Amino acid sequence: MRSAGAGVIQELFPRVSCVGTLDISDNGLDADLLAVIPAFSRHPSLKHLMLGKNFNIKGRVLDEILQKLVHLVQEEECALQSLSLSDSRLRQRGTVLVNALGSNTCLRKVDLSGNLLEDSGAKMLSKALQINTTLRSVTWDRNNTTATGFQDVARALEHNFTLQYMPLPLSDVTQAYRSAPEKTDQALTKIQRALLRNNQTQRFSQKQALRLHQGLVTSTAEQVMERLCVRVQQQVCVLKGCEEGEEVQTARQILKEARDSRAV
């Protein structure tokens, strides 16, 4: 497509109201993205956007393009649900977009693989995941992430109760195992456990998960009680299909009393 295609998108796309998915990856748009990205602003039907392999640029122009992307996903009327920037090799400059995910309220899925974001990018992702409550899927690989970066993500997921899917980053994991196998294994185990917990969490109160995630509980005692309620509720859900014996009835009663005492 290059510049000619960019001109067409810039002029015509805002007038098209029935496009839900747009894949313009690997089209040599590069600096032309400065004009293309604003065309997606407040688009009523665009839900899924793929822009990977279009960032063969450096310096100030790349910074401006990334800022336009940040503005796009942070708009109040943004309808985007998924964004892919895979294999764009954004490097350190791409962390500004990773950071913006923290306050993003529209995206449910992002693909940031192949951007060489290193551990600083993983740390930025961990900060974003501690705040974000809308993301359900993050693809993160080929970012030169070491055991330290995976540990940051694992710690963040201890406080994130909404992310459900994060494919195993095989390329980065292979490299991380070579230098720090034990730390890498521990971090990946924590990440997988958190994701499993979050998928189970969807069986009960989403409001409860959000309270834990956002830290709306006001004291340590309350926080401990809330987490215990979550664990008991998970076990009750597992036993839901079984015959409801005395233990399950007792667990339900304890949950009710715990919630009542917290409300007092």
Side-chain angles (χ1 to χ4, degrees), residues 199-237:
N199 278 277
Q200 293 174 337
T201 298
Q202 303 309 308
R203 299 178 186 174
F204 64 93
S205 170
Q206 180 71 7
K207 180 180 178 181
Q208 193 173 34
L210 291 177
R211 279 176 58 83
L212 284 169
H213 187 164
Q214 295 172 331
L216 296 181
V217 286
T218 56
S219 70
T220 302
E222 258 191 290
Q223 208 164 35
V224 170
M225 185 185 300
E226 188 80 30
R227 293 183 187 278
L228 287 173
C229 284
V230 168
R231 292 177 185 174
V232 174
Q233 183 69 67
Q234 286 177 342
Q235 295 304 314
V236 170
C237 288

Side-chain angles (χ1 to χ4, degrees), residues 238-245 248:
V238 170
L239 296 171
K240 194 172 183 180
C242 305
E243 184 177 348
E244 191 160 307
V248 175

Side-chain angles (χ1 to χ4, degrees), residues 44-55:
S45 64
L46 185 62
K47 306 292 185 186
H48 311 288
L49 179 61
M50 285 140 275
L51 292 175
K53 299 183 181 179
N54 280 307
F55 294 81

Side-chain angles (χ1 to χ4, degrees), residues 22-258:
L22 183 65
D23 186 352
I24 51 175
S25 303
D26 198 13
N27 269 293
L29 295 174
D30 303 329
D32 291 309
L33 285 172
L34 278 172
V36 169
I37 292 173
F40 306 137
S41 178
R42 295 186 174 87
H43 197 278
S45 64
L46 185 62
K47 306 292 185 186
H48 311 288
L49 179 61
M50 285 140 275
L51 292 175
K53 299 183 181 179
N54 280 307
F55 294 81
N56 189 27
I57 39 180
K58 297 179 181 179
R60 183 179 58 82
V61 176
L62 178 57
D63 290 338
E64 290 181 18
I65 290 172
L66 290 172
Q67 285 297 334
K68 287 186 180 295
L69 271 174
V70 168
H71 178 72
L72 175 68
V73 301
Q74 289 187 333
E75 288 179 329
E76 289 186 8
E77 299 174 22
C78 179
L80 277 179
Q81 295 179 5
S82 70
L83 175 67
S84 174
L85 299 175
S86 63
D87 299 310
S88 296
R89 304 176 71 85
L90 297 175
R91 301 182 187 275
Q92 293 297 307
R93 294 180 184 272
T95 57
V96 66
L97 183 61
V98 179
N99 181 55
L101 294 176
S103 57
N104 172 261
T105 57
C106 62
L107 291 175
R108 295 176 62 85
K109 178 180 181 179
V110 293
D111 186 345
L112 298 169
S113 55
N115 279 294
L116 309 177
L117 293 165
E118 301 185 346
D119 285 345
S120 58
K123 191 172 188 65
M124 200 67 71
L125 177 66
S126 71
K127 291 181 179 180
L129 290 177
Q130 292 183 62
I131 303 170
N132 184 284
T133 59
T134 56
L135 277 173
R136 297 295 180 268
S137 172
V138 173
T139 302
W140 180 278
D141 198 4
R142 304 188 303 283
N143 278 310
N144 292 340
T145 307
T146 70
T148 300
F150 286 125
Q151 286 178 323
D152 285 334
V153 174
R155 280 191 288 268
L157 287 177
E158 290 179 1
H159 307 286
N160 180 302
F161 288 77
T162 50
L163 187 72
Q164 295 176 290
Y165 184 67
M166 192 173 187
L168 188 67
L170 291 175
S171 178
D172 284 352
V173 166
T174 301
Q175 294 184 33
Y177 261 112
R178 291 171 181 165
S179 57
E182 187 174 341
K183 289 183 178 180
T184 302
D185 187 60
Q186 290 174 352
L188 292 177
T189 299
K190 288 181 180 179
I191 290 172
Q192 294 305 312
R193 285 177 178 171
L195 294 173
L196 178 60
R197 175 206 63 202
N198 291 356
N199 278 277
Q200 293 174 337
T201 298
Q202 303 309 308
R203 299 178 186 174
F204 64 93
S205 170
Q206 180 71 7
K207 180 180 178 181
Q208 193 173 34
L210 291 177
R211 279 176 58 83
L212 284 169
H213 187 164
Q214 295 172 331
L216 296 181
V217 286
T218 56
S219 70
T220 302
E222 258 191 290
Q223 208 164 35
V224 170
M225 185 185 300
E226 188 80 30
R227 293 183 187 278
L228 287 173
C229 284
V230 168
R231 292 177 185 174
V232 174
Q233 183 69 67
Q234 286 177 342
Q235 295 304 314
V236 170
C237 288
V238 170
L239 296 171
K240 194 172 183 180
C242 305
E243 184 177 348
E244 191 160 307
E246 182 179 346
E247 293 84 356
V248 175
Q249 293 177 3
T250 301
R252 290 187 187 280
Q253 182 61 31
I254 291 173
L255 277 172
K256 182 178 182 301
E257 292 174 359

